[in-house]
Amino acid sequence: MNRFKTSKFKNTTPKIAKKDGWINNVRAGSLSCQGSHIKASAKLVAFNTEQAGGGMLGLSSVKPGSDGEWTVTQISCHSDLVTDMDFSPFDECLLATCSGDETVKLWRLCDPELQQPSAPQLTLRPGQGRLELVLFHPTSSGLLAVGNTKSPMIWDTSRQDTPLAVLEQHGDQLQSMCWKQDGSLLASSCKDKMLRVFDPRAQLTPVQSAKSLQNNKDSRILWAKDDLLLTTGFDMMRSREVRLWDSRKLSSSVSSASLGTSSGMVIPLFDDDTGLLILAGMGDTVVDCFEVSASEPFLSQVSHCLTDTSTRGVAMVPKVALDVLSCEVMRVLQLTDSCIVPISYQVPRKHSGQEFHEDLYPDTVGTTPAMSADEWWKGGNKQVEKVSLHPDKQPKQKAPPAKQMAAKKELASGGSKEDPARGCSTSSSPLSTPSSSAVPSRSPSSTSGLSSGFLHSPSPSQSAKAIQSMMGPTSKFRHIQGAVMHRDTHITNLRGLNLTTPGECDGFCVNRQRVAVPLAISGGQIGIFERSQPGRLPETALSTIQNSVNVVDLSWDPFDTHRLAVAGDDAKIRVWQVPEGGLKETLTEPEVILQGHTEKIYSIKFHPLASGLLVSSSYDLTVRLWNLESREQVKLLTGHQDQVFGMAWSPDGKLLATVCKDGKVRIYDPRKSTAPVQEGPGPEGQRGARAVWVCEGKYLLVSGFDSRSERVLYLYSAESLSSGAIASTSIDISPSTLIPFYDPDTSVVILTAKGDTRVHIYEMFPEDPYFIECSSFNSPEPHKGLAFLPKSECNVRDVEIAVGLLLTKTTIEPVAFRVPRVKKEFFQDDVYTDTAICWEPALTASAWLSGSNGQHKKISLKPKDMTPVSEAPKEAPVRKYLPSSVYLEEKTDEQKKDELLSAMVAKLGNMDDPLPQESFEGVDEDEWDD
């Protein structure tokens, strides 16, 4: 039976350590190299630092010292950048490093509290230029794979002069390599887009190879399971991806998943026992966990962990260091600029912390090598013996902790002899295998959540106000969850979509009843799909709107679900009326044609309050207002010097904001002046931008690009545009402009771009920190657009705060964004304030043009049969902790003895009490027979 077909790990939950459980005083280097920036054994953690040009390594321990603190020290390893490092799988203190100084060094390290060795135990000098990669063999002692710029080499450290084999030179930069778990094969990925599999003992050329990678940027490779290889890298559109390959046939992948658009390479970590895969992007604040299966579905996402700081590297802690009694199946160490953050992955189980769950912990690879390097080179295929992780089966520690501490103090005060009890091995051979006594002194069960600093239930004494004062504003939407709704609600089998709409267009538009999608059919045709009729579209031709010219933008009238405005590349706006029930036949005659622009139109927007009022921007550098009631142009706004990227009406409908390619953000009051009333500096990048009003119309949020083409959000005060942005936050690097959707009821802004897979979510604040990032949503494949429905379409029983429609190449899929809540049987009135009836106009176009203002009426979304959570009956508090007086009261041994005796007596009964038979009635003496 294939273990991967089960999903016992599907509910695995990541838990980020509390800040007092982080390893601080770390100065990680942002250095460019092909290898790892951090590695961990069961005892030690080594990582790159910025000192000495990257030639120094930082060193700490996996577990804190007796005082609960981590000691961080440094080792001067190389005269140039340390490009890669690896701990021996058979010796927790043996570290191999390679460098730009063309050497490989082996270091026998000590506890961080002790004096580290000043010289390596072994130095290899391949003499073939800069070295990029170093990797211990998984089954044999004294065997290394070393990679220079273009060639992998196999080294037996007992033969230091020459390598056992120099494998075929690659066509470009060697980017990554990995051993198969049984040690028989070595796989590599290269900048020439080739994947190669070598059998070094049989031949120097690959036994399998194919030009399989789509992009030559930053690929990583590892062996996932049996014959499955896994790679991370970039596709042709420079989106990050993960792929699975059959190592026996590398011409095509067996499965893939898109990981969003960002410039940082993706670091993969794989646990062979559980099939769990960790993916962390360099520079990202997200760590994803997938489960890898040997059959469909090959990749399924388990968790999406949002971290506090950006990733510089990640490492996996060996199994023997896990807290198995807490059902910890994996622990990842995240290297950041200034600290190392442990992330524990635990499987929720009953009696967690009390019992060993054998089904979660199959026997794992032990720490005794199966053979020597020479035996392997001569054809040996022995495998490392597996061991149990059961706490009762762990070896006893050799010396008590008190003696170890005394030994450390002796060495710190000038002791000369090294001793195993002090944390250093006395073995003379650089790669000798430690004896059983050298196994980590702490058993897995001794690594508790308390000692490692992972999050626990908060103490009753913790004050919410105190936490907020230390950490700043918190977001009730931080853990918002996006989910694609059931397939029964999808519209599928879409064909012939127009995927080349201009950047100023959202790609498609939706209202409560129907969806309009431009089609790549001559004549500027538009498909109209009824939301009430989901399912698979027929193969036959569909009834469409024939716009007669190419569509550049389109928008539904917010107050009439049948009226669609379409801007064409002939500088005209056509207004179409869709009949009740949807299209039954092709429409060829528009209801209205608006003509006035002299060049192609960029975009169109309906007024949010006044019916029949439309604004448009054009290549003629003008912005025009149109009254659909009178079918004429009513205002012409000027002042733009270049392309208008985006327009946005203020919530009260009085002002219009624009963002332009000339580097300016402008605000117009169209009824008072044709020139802007305010103007300020906009985004530096000229690739595109969008704008939306936030925080009750007091601020303007602009999504754009900086001078380095990085996507950035800028926040402006609507009262002082000339002062520039008051706050900004960088998102990532991608060519597509982020399109914002803002929910005024929750102050949540949701952003994504055409061609992205990731949907970014932020809560906005009118004061510092202005932006709080929330959990993001990832779609399984790049989407072509995301448009949102009115708030009334949200299911409040599932605590949905937004519902959108996701357009892909062949489907339209509803996506709900939900807030996790416990008491979902109650109406969450802290989430749902009264919402505006935005589908009804507040006034007419002529009334607005004459100077009148209005505002939408508001309604409550509370169903009649739901009680507000603020009125929910209060539950009696359950005391989880004994009062402090119990812990503070000191009792003498005599008091404890008296209490114990009293308890025993109370249980057994009082000796002075009469026995039950004493109450029985007997007979008189004269009644006895003689």
Side-chain angles (χ1 to χ4, degrees), residues 210-260:
K211 194 166 186 176
S212 306
L213 302 177
Q214 297 186 33
N215 195 299
N216 63 4
K217 181 184 178 185
D218 292 334
S219 63
R220 293 294 178 267
I221 190 169
L222 56 78
W223 227 286
K225 188 68 177 178
D226 300 328
D227 292 313
L228 284 180
L229 276 171
L230 183 144
T231 61
T232 61
F234 295 79
D235 62 17
M236 290 184 292
M237 303 301 293
R238 300 185 72 82
S239 293
R240 299 189 300 190
E241 64 175 2
V242 56
R243 287 182 177 270
L244 282 173
W245 311 80
D246 186 337
S247 61
R248 299 162 297 184
K249 183 182 178 183
L250 296 175
S251 56
S252 61
S253 60
V254 297
S255 182
S256 65
S258 179
L259 304 175

Short mmCIF file of all heavy atoms in Angstrom, two decimals, residues 210-260:
data_model
loop_
_atom_site.label_atom_id
_atom_site.label_comp_id
_atom_site.label_asym_id
_atom_site.label_seq_id
_atom_site.Cartn_x
_atom_site.Cartn_y
_atom_site.Cartn_z
N ALA A 210 17.66 15.98 -20.21
CA ALA A 210 16.69 16.61 -21.10
C ALA A 210 16.69 18.10 -20.84
O ALA A 210 16.92 18.55 -19.71
CB ALA A 210 15.30 16.03 -20.90
N LYS A 211 16.44 18.87 -21.89
CA LYS A 211 16.30 20.32 -21.74
C LYS A 211 14.87 20.59 -21.33
O LYS A 211 14.00 20.89 -22.14
CB LYS A 211 16.65 21.03 -23.05
CG LYS A 211 16.85 22.53 -22.89
CD LYS A 211 17.50 23.15 -24.10
CE LYS A 211 17.84 24.62 -23.88
NZ LYS A 211 18.55 25.22 -25.01
N SER A 212 14.62 20.50 -20.02
CA SER A 212 13.26 20.47 -19.50
C SER A 212 12.82 21.77 -18.86
O SER A 212 11.63 22.07 -18.81
CB SER A 212 13.13 19.34 -18.47
OG SER A 212 13.56 18.11 -19.02
N LEU A 213 13.75 22.54 -18.30
CA LEU A 213 13.39 23.75 -17.59
C LEU A 213 12.98 24.84 -18.56
O LEU A 213 13.55 24.97 -19.65
CB LEU A 213 14.55 24.23 -16.71
CG LEU A 213 15.05 23.22 -15.67
CD1 LEU A 213 16.24 23.78 -14.92
CD2 LEU A 213 13.93 22.86 -14.70
N GLN A 214 11.99 25.64 -18.19
CA GLN A 214 11.47 26.68 -19.08
C GLN A 214 12.25 27.99 -18.98
O GLN A 214 12.19 28.82 -19.87
CB GLN A 214 10.00 26.94 -18.77
CG GLN A 214 9.12 25.74 -19.01
CD GLN A 214 7.65 26.06 -18.83
OE1 GLN A 214 7.21 27.16 -19.13
NE2 GLN A 214 6.88 25.11 -18.35
N ASN A 215 12.95 28.17 -17.87
CA ASN A 215 13.66 29.43 -17.64
C ASN A 215 15.01 29.10 -17.02
O ASN A 215 15.13 28.14 -16.26
CB ASN A 215 12.84 30.34 -16.71
CG ASN A 215 13.31 31.78 -16.72
OD1 ASN A 215 14.45 32.07 -16.37
ND2 ASN A 215 12.44 32.69 -17.11
N ASN A 216 16.02 29.88 -17.32
CA ASN A 216 17.36 29.57 -16.84
C ASN A 216 17.69 30.23 -15.50
O ASN A 216 18.83 30.22 -15.06
CB ASN A 216 18.42 29.97 -17.88
CG ASN A 216 18.43 31.48 -18.14
OD1 ASN A 216 17.72 32.25 -17.50
ND2 ASN A 216 19.25 31.89 -19.09
N LYS A 217 16.68 30.78 -14.83
CA LYS A 217 16.93 31.53 -13.61
C LYS A 217 16.71 30.68 -12.36
O LYS A 217 15.64 30.13 -12.15
CB LYS A 217 16.02 32.77 -13.55
CG LYS A 217 16.24 33.63 -12.33
CD LYS A 217 15.25 34.79 -12.28
CE LYS A 217 15.44 35.60 -11.02
NZ LYS A 217 14.44 36.67 -10.88
N ASP A 218 17.75 30.55 -11.52
CA ASP A 218 17.65 30.08 -10.14
C ASP A 218 16.80 28.82 -9.97
O ASP A 218 15.77 28.83 -9.29
CB ASP A 218 17.08 31.18 -9.25
CG ASP A 218 18.05 32.34 -9.09
OD1 ASP A 218 19.25 32.11 -9.22
OD2 ASP A 218 17.59 33.46 -8.83
N SER A 219 17.20 27.72 -10.60
CA SER A 219 16.49 26.46 -10.38
C SER A 219 17.10 25.72 -9.19
O SER A 219 18.29 25.87 -8.88
CB SER A 219 16.57 25.59 -11.63
OG SER A 219 17.91 25.23 -11.91
N ARG A 220 16.29 24.92 -8.52
CA ARG A 220 16.73 24.06 -7.43
C ARG A 220 16.15 22.68 -7.65
O ARG A 220 15.04 22.54 -8.17
CB ARG A 220 16.29 24.61 -6.07
CG ARG A 220 16.96 25.92 -5.67
CD ARG A 220 18.47 25.71 -5.45
NE ARG A 220 19.17 26.94 -5.10
CZ ARG A 220 19.76 27.72 -5.97
NH1 ARG A 220 19.69 27.44 -7.27
NH2 ARG A 220 20.41 28.80 -5.58
N ILE A 221 16.90 21.64 -7.25
CA ILE A 221 16.48 20.27 -7.50
C ILE A 221 16.67 19.43 -6.25
O ILE A 221 17.61 19.67 -5.48
CB ILE A 221 17.27 19.66 -8.69
CG1 ILE A 221 16.67 18.32 -9.13
CG2 ILE A 221 18.74 19.50 -8.35
CD1 ILE A 221 17.22 17.80 -10.45
N LEU A 222 15.76 18.52 -6.00
CA LEU A 222 15.93 17.53 -4.93
C LEU A 222 15.15 16.28 -5.29
O LEU A 222 14.25 16.29 -6.12
CB LEU A 222 15.50 18.09 -3.56
CG LEU A 222 14.09 18.65 -3.36
CD1 LEU A 222 13.05 17.55 -3.20
CD2 LEU A 222 14.07 19.53 -2.13
N TRP A 223 15.55 15.17 -4.65
CA TRP A 223 14.87 13.90 -4.88
C TRP A 223 13.71 13.82 -3.93
O TRP A 223 13.88 13.88 -2.71
CB TRP A 223 15.81 12.73 -4.67
CG TRP A 223 15.71 11.75 -5.80
CD1 TRP A 223 14.70 10.90 -6.03
CD2 TRP A 223 16.65 11.58 -6.87
NE1 TRP A 223 14.93 10.17 -7.18
CE2 TRP A 223 16.13 10.57 -7.71
CE3 TRP A 223 17.86 12.15 -7.20
CZ2 TRP A 223 16.79 10.13 -8.85
CZ3 TRP A 223 18.51 11.71 -8.33
CH2 TRP A 223 17.98 10.72 -9.15
N ALA A 224 12.49 13.70 -4.48
CA ALA A 224 11.30 13.73 -3.63
C ALA A 224 10.99 12.35 -3.07
O ALA A 224 10.88 12.18 -1.86
CB ALA A 224 10.11 14.26 -4.42
N LYS A 225 10.85 11.36 -3.91
CA LYS A 225 10.48 10.04 -3.44
C LYS A 225 10.74 9.03 -4.54
O LYS A 225 10.31 9.22 -5.67
CB LYS A 225 9.00 10.02 -3.06
CG LYS A 225 8.54 8.75 -2.37
CD LYS A 225 9.16 8.59 -0.99
CE LYS A 225 8.64 7.35 -0.29
NZ LYS A 225 9.28 7.15 1.02
N ASP A 226 11.44 7.96 -4.20
CA ASP A 226 11.70 6.90 -5.17
C ASP A 226 12.30 7.49 -6.45
O ASP A 226 13.40 8.02 -6.42
CB ASP A 226 10.42 6.10 -5.46
CG ASP A 226 9.86 5.44 -4.20
OD1 ASP A 226 10.68 5.08 -3.33
OD2 ASP A 226 8.65 5.31 -4.07
N ASP A 227 11.57 7.40 -7.56
CA ASP A 227 12.09 7.89 -8.83
C ASP A 227 11.61 9.30 -9.18
O ASP A 227 11.79 9.76 -10.32
CB ASP A 227 11.70 6.93 -9.96
CG ASP A 227 12.41 5.58 -9.84
OD1 ASP A 227 13.63 5.59 -9.62
OD2 ASP A 227 11.73 4.55 -9.92
N LEU A 228 10.97 9.99 -8.24
CA LEU A 228 10.46 11.33 -8.49
C LEU A 228 11.50 12.39 -8.15
O LEU A 228 12.05 12.40 -7.05
CB LEU A 228 9.19 11.59 -7.68
CG LEU A 228 7.89 10.96 -8.16
CD1 LEU A 228 6.75 11.34 -7.23
CD2 LEU A 228 7.56 11.40 -9.58
N LEU A 229 11.76 13.27 -9.11
CA LEU A 229 12.59 14.45 -8.88
C LEU A 229 11.70 15.67 -8.76
O LEU A 229 10.65 15.75 -9.39
CB LEU A 229 13.58 14.65 -10.04
CG LEU A 229 14.88 13.86 -10.01
CD1 LEU A 229 15.61 14.01 -11.33
CD2 LEU A 229 15.77 14.33 -8.86
N LEU A 230 12.13 16.62 -7.96
CA LEU A 230 11.37 17.85 -7.78
C LEU A 230 12.26 19.05 -8.08
O LEU A 230 13.41 19.10 -7.63
CB LEU A 230 10.83 17.94 -6.35
CG LEU A 230 9.96 19.14 -6.00
CD1 LEU A 230 8.86 18.72 -5.03
CD2 LEU A 230 10.77 20.27 -5.37
N THR A 231 11.75 20.00 -8.86
CA THR A 231 12.50 21.21 -9.16
C THR A 231 11.65 22.44 -8.83
O THR A 231 10.43 22.40 -8.93
CB THR A 231 12.90 21.29 -10.65
OG1 THR A 231 11.73 21.31 -11.47
CG2 THR A 231 13.80 20.13 -11.04
N THR A 232 12.32 23.50 -8.43
CA THR A 232 11.69 24.81 -8.32
C THR A 232 12.44 25.75 -9.24
O THR A 232 13.64 25.60 -9.46
CB THR A 232 11.73 25.34 -6.88
OG1 THR A 232 13.10 25.48 -6.46
CG2 THR A 232 11.00 24.40 -5.94
N GLY A 233 11.72 26.72 -9.77
CA GLY A 233 12.35 27.66 -10.69
C GLY A 233 11.31 28.62 -11.23
O GLY A 233 10.36 28.98 -10.54
N PHE A 234 11.47 28.99 -12.50
CA PHE A 234 10.60 29.98 -13.12
C PHE A 234 10.12 29.45 -14.47
O PHE A 234 10.85 28.72 -15.15
CB PHE A 234 11.34 31.31 -13.33
CG PHE A 234 11.74 31.99 -12.05
CD1 PHE A 234 12.85 31.57 -11.33
CD2 PHE A 234 10.99 33.04 -11.55
CE1 PHE A 234 13.22 32.19 -10.15
CE2 PHE A 234 11.35 33.67 -10.37
CZ PHE A 234 12.46 33.25 -9.67
N ASP A 235 8.89 29.83 -14.83
CA ASP A 235 8.40 29.44 -16.14
C ASP A 235 8.76 30.51 -17.18
O ASP A 235 9.48 31.47 -16.87
CB ASP A 235 6.89 29.18 -16.12
CG ASP A 235 6.08 30.43 -15.73
OD1 ASP A 235 6.64 31.55 -15.80
OD2 ASP A 235 4.90 30.27 -15.37
N MET A 236 8.24 30.37 -18.37
CA MET A 236 8.59 31.30 -19.45
C MET A 236 8.10 32.72 -19.18
O MET A 236 8.65 33.68 -19.69
CB MET A 236 8.02 30.78 -20.78
CG MET A 236 8.71 29.54 -21.29
SD MET A 236 8.10 29.01 -22.90
CE MET A 236 6.45 28.48 -22.47
N MET A 237 7.05 32.84 -18.35
CA MET A 237 6.53 34.16 -18.01
C MET A 237 7.16 34.69 -16.72
O MET A 237 6.69 35.66 -16.15
CB MET A 237 5.00 34.08 -17.83
CG MET A 237 4.26 33.56 -19.06
SD MET A 237 4.57 34.60 -20.51
CE MET A 237 3.76 36.09 -20.00
N ARG A 238 8.22 34.01 -16.27
CA ARG A 238 8.97 34.39 -15.07
C ARG A 238 8.14 34.28 -13.80
O ARG A 238 8.41 34.94 -12.79
CB ARG A 238 9.56 35.80 -15.21
CG ARG A 238 10.51 35.93 -16.38
CD ARG A 238 11.16 37.29 -16.43
NE ARG A 238 12.15 37.46 -15.37
CZ ARG A 238 13.40 37.03 -15.42
NH1 ARG A 238 13.82 36.38 -16.49
NH2 ARG A 238 14.23 37.24 -14.43
N SER A 239 7.10 33.44 -13.84
CA SER A 239 6.37 33.10 -12.62
C SER A 239 7.06 31.91 -11.96
O SER A 239 7.52 30.99 -12.65
CB SER A 239 4.92 32.73 -12.94
OG SER A 239 4.22 33.85 -13.40
N ARG A 240 7.11 31.92 -10.65
CA ARG A 240 7.76 30.83 -9.94
C ARG A 240 6.89 29.58 -9.98
O ARG A 240 5.66 29.66 -9.96
CB ARG A 240 8.05 31.24 -8.49
CG ARG A 240 8.97 32.43 -8.41
CD ARG A 240 9.44 32.72 -7.01
NE ARG A 240 8.36 33.00 -6.10
CZ ARG A 240 8.53 33.48 -4.87
NH1 ARG A 240 9.76 33.71 -4.44
NH2 ARG A 240 7.52 33.71 -4.09
N GLU A 241 7.54 28.42 -10.02
CA GLU A 241 6.79 27.18 -10.12
C GLU A 241 7.56 26.04 -9.46
O GLU A 241 8.77 26.13 -9.24
CB GLU A 241 6.52 26.83 -11.58
CG GLU A 241 7.77 26.55 -12.39
CD GLU A 241 7.48 26.08 -13.81
OE1 GLU A 241 6.30 26.02 -14.17
OE2 GLU A 241 8.43 25.75 -14.53
N VAL A 242 6.83 24.97 -9.14
CA VAL A 242 7.42 23.72 -8.68
C VAL A 242 6.94 22.63 -9.61
O VAL A 242 5.77 22.61 -10.02
CB VAL A 242 7.04 23.43 -7.21
CG1 VAL A 242 5.53 23.42 -7.02
CG2 VAL A 242 7.63 22.11 -6.75
N ARG A 243 7.86 21.73 -9.99
CA ARG A 243 7.51 20.64 -10.90
C ARG A 243 8.03 19.31 -10.38
O ARG A 243 9.08 19.25 -9.73
CB ARG A 243 8.10 20.89 -12.31
CG ARG A 243 7.39 21.99 -13.10
CD ARG A 243 7.97 22.14 -14.49
NE ARG A 243 7.23 23.15 -15.25
CZ ARG A 243 6.17 22.89 -16.01
NH1 ARG A 243 5.76 21.64 -16.14
NH2 ARG A 243 5.54 23.86 -16.64
N LEU A 244 7.29 18.24 -10.68
CA LEU A 244 7.71 16.88 -10.37
C LEU A 244 8.04 16.16 -11.67
O LEU A 244 7.32 16.30 -12.67
CB LEU A 244 6.60 16.13 -9.63
CG LEU A 244 6.43 16.44 -8.14
CD1 LEU A 244 5.20 15.75 -7.60
CD2 LEU A 244 7.66 16.01 -7.36
N TRP A 245 9.14 15.38 -11.63
CA TRP A 245 9.61 14.67 -12.83
C TRP A 245 9.84 13.21 -12.51
O TRP A 245 10.25 12.87 -11.40
CB TRP A 245 10.94 15.27 -13.32
CG TRP A 245 10.96 16.76 -13.44
CD1 TRP A 245 11.14 17.66 -12.43
CD2 TRP A 245 10.80 17.52 -14.64
NE1 TRP A 245 11.10 18.93 -12.92
CE2 TRP A 245 10.90 18.89 -14.27
CE3 TRP A 245 10.60 17.20 -15.98
CZ2 TRP A 245 10.79 19.91 -15.20
CZ3 TRP A 245 10.49 18.22 -16.90
CH2 TRP A 245 10.59 19.55 -16.51
N ASP A 246 9.59 12.37 -13.48
CA ASP A 246 10.02 10.98 -13.40
C ASP A 246 11.47 10.95 -13.86
O ASP A 246 11.78 11.28 -15.01
CB ASP A 246 9.15 10.10 -14.30
CG ASP A 246 9.47 8.61 -14.15
OD1 ASP A 246 10.59 8.28 -13.71
OD2 ASP A 246 8.60 7.80 -14.50
N SER A 247 12.38 10.57 -12.95
CA SER A 247 13.81 10.63 -13.26
C SER A 247 14.20 9.69 -14.40
O SER A 247 15.28 9.82 -14.97
CB SER A 247 14.64 10.28 -12.02
OG SER A 247 14.34 8.95 -11.57
N ARG A 248 13.31 8.77 -14.75
CA ARG A 248 13.60 7.85 -15.86
C ARG A 248 13.14 8.43 -17.21
O ARG A 248 13.45 7.86 -18.26
CB ARG A 248 12.89 6.51 -15.62
CG ARG A 248 13.35 5.80 -14.36
CD ARG A 248 12.38 4.74 -13.91
NE ARG A 248 11.07 5.31 -13.56
CZ ARG A 248 10.06 4.61 -13.07
NH1 ARG A 248 10.20 3.32 -12.87
NH2 ARG A 248 8.91 5.21 -12.77
N LYS A 249 12.40 9.57 -17.14
CA LYS A 249 11.92 10.21 -18.37
C LYS A 249 11.79 11.70 -18.08
O LYS A 249 10.76 12.18 -17.60
CB LYS A 249 10.57 9.61 -18.79
CG LYS A 249 10.05 10.17 -20.10
CD LYS A 249 8.69 9.57 -20.43
CE LYS A 249 8.12 10.16 -21.72
NZ LYS A 249 6.77 9.64 -22.03
N LEU A 250 12.82 12.45 -18.37
CA LEU A 250 12.89 13.85 -18.00
C LEU A 250 12.32 14.80 -19.06
O LEU A 250 12.37 16.02 -18.88
CB LEU A 250 14.34 14.25 -17.70
CG LEU A 250 15.01 13.55 -16.52
CD1 LEU A 250 16.48 13.95 -16.42
CD2 LEU A 250 14.29 13.89 -15.23
N SER A 251 11.79 14.27 -20.13
CA SER A 251 11.34 15.14 -21.22
C SER A 251 10.12 15.96 -20.85
O SER A 251 9.90 17.04 -21.39
CB SER A 251 11.04 14.30 -22.47
OG SER A 251 10.08 13.30 -22.16
N SER A 252 9.29 15.46 -19.92
CA SER A 252 8.10 16.22 -19.50
C SER A 252 7.81 15.94 -18.04
O SER A 252 8.07 14.84 -17.54
CB SER A 252 6.88 15.85 -20.36
OG SER A 252 6.57 14.48 -20.23
N SER A 253 7.29 16.94 -17.35
CA SER A 253 7.00 16.79 -15.92
C SER A 253 5.69 16.04 -15.73
O SER A 253 4.80 16.05 -16.59
CB SER A 253 6.92 18.17 -15.25
OG SER A 253 5.90 18.95 -15.84
N VAL A 254 5.54 15.40 -14.57
CA VAL A 254 4.32 14.67 -14.27
C VAL A 254 3.32 15.55 -13.53
O VAL A 254 2.13 15.25 -13.49
CB VAL A 254 4.62 13.41 -13.43
CG1 VAL A 254 5.48 12.45 -14.22
CG2 VAL A 254 5.29 13.77 -12.11
N SER A 255 3.79 16.65 -12.93
CA SER A 255 2.89 17.56 -12.24
C SER A 255 3.61 18.88 -12.02
O SER A 255 4.84 18.94 -12.01
CB SER A 255 2.45 16.97 -10.89
OG SER A 255 1.54 17.83 -10.24
N SER A 256 2.82 19.95 -11.84
CA SER A 256 3.42 21.26 -11.56
C SER A 256 2.43 22.11 -10.80
O SER A 256 1.22 21.84 -10.79
CB SER A 256 3.82 21.96 -12.87
OG SER A 256 2.67 22.25 -13.64
N ALA A 257 2.94 23.15 -10.16
CA ALA A 257 2.10 24.11 -9.44
C ALA A 257 2.76 25.47 -9.53
O ALA A 257 3.99 25.59 -9.40
CB ALA A 257 1.91 23.70 -7.98
N SER A 258 1.96 26.48 -9.78
CA SER A 258 2.48 27.84 -9.86
C SER A 258 2.58 28.42 -8.46
O SER A 258 1.74 28.19 -7.59
CB SER A 258 1.56 28.71 -10.71
OG SER A 258 2.03 30.03 -10.77
N LEU A 259 3.65 29.20 -8.21
CA LEU A 259 3.91 29.76 -6.89
C LEU A 259 3.87 31.28 -6.89
O LEU A 259 4.37 31.91 -5.96
CB LEU A 259 5.29 29.29 -6.38
CG LEU A 259 5.49 27.77 -6.32
CD1 LEU A 259 6.91 27.43 -5.92
CD2 LEU A 259 4.50 27.14 -5.35
N GLY A 260 3.29 31.88 -7.91
CA GLY A 260 3.16 33.33 -7.92
C GLY A 260 4.32 34.02 -8.59
O GLY A 260 5.33 33.40 -8.96
#
